Amino acid sequence: MTLKKIKRPKWIPLWLSIPFIIFLAFVVMLLFFGENNYRQISKQKVEMDKVKALIKEQEDSAQYYIRKTQELNTDKETLEKIAREQYKMKRANEDVFITDIP
């Protein structure tokens, strides 16, 4: 039994071989198909950037409220101002008149 050698068509380059085609197909499959493809990775990066920005915003907000809390605990004038304006509190010997005039 003799094996016939298959002639390569002229339009197929010499550097193109079966193992190279298999390797190329494997790389394409990894990049574009499956659960960890390029599209999903890029979507996850965008989502991760959004979450990091949200965390930064929340940390800034937390720092603001920590500073306000420390200010209220240390500065009695600020505490009295907030108690008077927001909670309509007054001292025992004074009268408060509330109006709708800005």
Side-chain angles (χ1 to χ4, degrees), residues 4-18:
K4 281 187 171 180
K5 193 172 187 182
I6 299 173
K7 285 186 145 185
R8 180 186 304 261
K10 290 183 179 181
W11 56 272
I12 297 177
L14 290 175
W15 52 268
L16 193 63
S17 64
I18 299 293

